[in-house]
Amino acid sequence: DIEYWFKRLGLNDWEKLIDSTKKYISLYEDTTEILEYLNNKYKLVIISDANRKFLNAKLDCKNIRNYFEHIFTTSEDFGIPQKNEEVFNKILKKLNIKPNEIIHIGDNTYLDYTVPSSIGIKSFQLKRSQKDKKNHIINSLIELKNKL
């Protein structure tokens, strides 16, 4: 937890640090468009390894938190440092859905594609800088319109 480390290192206000970084937070061009498109058709959820305080600051700074029905952080919600099968299974249980009723998108091959795919979740890997024609890889979030 960020508060623990700030106290342990003798640092002051973590909220001030977050505030000072907001000017560096930006969204990719396609983010708002795809959020609006998906939000009209699906329930959106975030599953992140990030600290909740930083994640909320990013979402609030860009006014996109309201697009998401649930926001999960692996360490704070499940006591697990990274996404793994257990995290995905706990989320499925919490949302009362089956693996074929959710789609996962992320940029890490193993954590965002291999792991969720292994339990039956349809997954896409976002690779913005590399053009790849594999069916599970998208180079822009807008490509989701044609994949769903």
Side-chain angles (χ1 to χ4, degrees):
D1 184 27
I2 190 168
E3 291 177 61
Y4 166 81
W5 286 107
F6 262 67
K7 287 178 188 173
R8 176 148 183 167
L9 297 172
L11 300 171
N12 293 323
D13 191 359
W14 62 267
E15 290 171 321
K16 191 174 182 182
L17 172 66
I18 290 174
D19 250 9
S20 70
T21 63
K22 285 182 179 178
K23 61 186 169 199
Y24 302 107
I25 297 171
S26 61
L27 297 175
Y28 284 98
E29 258 180 45
D30 56 357
T31 304
T32 304
E33 179 183 342
I34 199 65
L35 285 175
E36 289 183 12
Y37 173 82
L38 294 173
N39 194 45
N40 288 326
K41 298 175 177 259
Y42 305 97
K43 294 178 182 176
L44 303 181
V45 174
I46 291 179
I47 306 167
S48 178
D49 302 338
N51 177 283
R52 184 178 306 284
K53 292 172 179 79
F54 281 112
L55 183 57
N56 286 341
K58 288 168 80 171
L59 296 171
D60 292 341
C61 174
K62 294 302 174 185
N63 297 315
I64 59 172
R65 189 199 298 224
N66 60 327
Y67 288 106
F68 301 97
E69 191 167 306
H70 298 280
I71 299 170
F72 298 103
T73 62
T74 57
S75 62
E76 293 167 74
D77 291 313
F78 308 108
I80 299 170
Q82 294 182 313
K83 293 176 236 175
N84 63 21
E85 287 182 23
E86 183 181 355
V87 167
F88 284 103
N89 282 318
K90 286 182 176 190
I91 289 171
L92 292 172
K93 186 175 181 178
K94 188 171 185 100
L95 298 177
N96 195 30
I97 58 174
K98 295 177 181 138
N100 66 348
E101 297 176 307
I102 189 171
I103 294 169
H104 182 75
I105 303 144
D107 61 1
N108 183 287
T109 302
Y110 182 72
L111 300 175
D112 294 316
Y113 176 71
T114 304
V115 172
S117 294
S118 74
I119 62 167
I121 295 173
K122 185 173 185 171
S123 303
F124 295 100
Q125 182 183 2
L126 179 62
K127 284 187 168 183
R128 290 185 183 276
S129 61
Q130 297 175 324
K131 300 300 177 201
D132 198 321
K133 298 298 179 197
K134 292 178 185 160
N135 198 37
H136 72 277
I137 292 178
I138 56 174
N139 303 117
S140 162
L141 291 172
I142 298 303
E143 290 178 37
L144 287 171
K145 290 181 177 182
N146 298 322
K147 300 263 187 183
L148 302 178

